Amino acid sequence: PLICACKCSGSVRYIHLGCLRTWLGKQLNVVRSKFCISIKWKPLSCEMCKAHYRYRIYLDNHKFYTVEIPKPGRPYIVLEVMRRSAEYSKIFHFVSLAETSRVSIGRKKDVDVKISDDISVSRHHANLIYDF
């Protein structure tokens, strides 16, 4: 469908949802590891009017997502990194517990999920244990 994704007007007001998804998908920085999919992105906004794109759009009583986020096998947990740096405004780690019941997280390279380089995070910060 054609949607109004931002505040632009005139001939650039409408965009195909699929075209918007393709363009916004290229703005994501996706890193995959054995137990985790990490996603980093800057605010997604229109290059012309600077309006931020919404993550969900409702059209004719249907919900559409403007960004398709890859997710691991279930069960999984989502960790959001909270930081003050403006480099990326959002960082999410989708940690999968589908193939293991224990995942180690921290800033060291030999943990299952490296969540940060910041020294405020321990080298081996914690273990996530999924109890069936």
Side-chain angles (χ1 to χ4, degrees), residues 57-77:
I57 293 176
Y58 295 92
L59 181 66
D60 296 331
N61 294 325
H62 290 92
K63 179 171 50 175
F64 297 97
Y65 292 97
T66 55
V67 179
E68 293 189 30
I69 297 175
K71 295 178 185 158
R74 291 182 182 211
Y76 63 88
I77 186 170

Side-chain angles (χ1 to χ4, degrees), residues 27-47:
Q27 307 303 311
L28 300 178
N29 180 3
V30 179
V31 178
R32 296 176 187 266
S33 65
K34 185 174 182 179
F35 299 111
C36 182
I37 298 174
S38 299
I39 300 173
K40 302 175 186 179
W41 72 75
K42 294 179 182 180
L44 303 174
S45 58
C46 177
E47 292 177 349

Side-chain angles (χ1 to χ4, degrees), residues 72-129:
R74 291 182 182 211
Y76 63 88
I77 186 170
V78 181
L79 304 174
E80 180 179 1
V81 176
M82 308 297 285
R83 51 198 268 175
R84 294 180 186 167
S85 170
E87 179 185 356
Y88 288 101
S89 63
K90 298 207 180 277
I91 300 175
F92 293 102
H93 300 284
F94 292 80
V95 182
S96 176
L97 296 160
E99 297 179 23
T100 184
S101 62
R102 181 184 178 126
V103 175
S104 61
I105 62 172
R107 68 177 164 92
K108 201 172 174 185
K109 291 185 180 186
D110 64 345
V111 294
D112 296 320
V113 179
K114 184 177 177 182
I115 59 170
S116 178
D117 289 327
D118 191 333
I119 60 170
S120 66
V121 176
S122 302
R123 290 180 183 142
H124 182 115
H125 197 75
N127 289 316
L128 298 175
I129 300 171

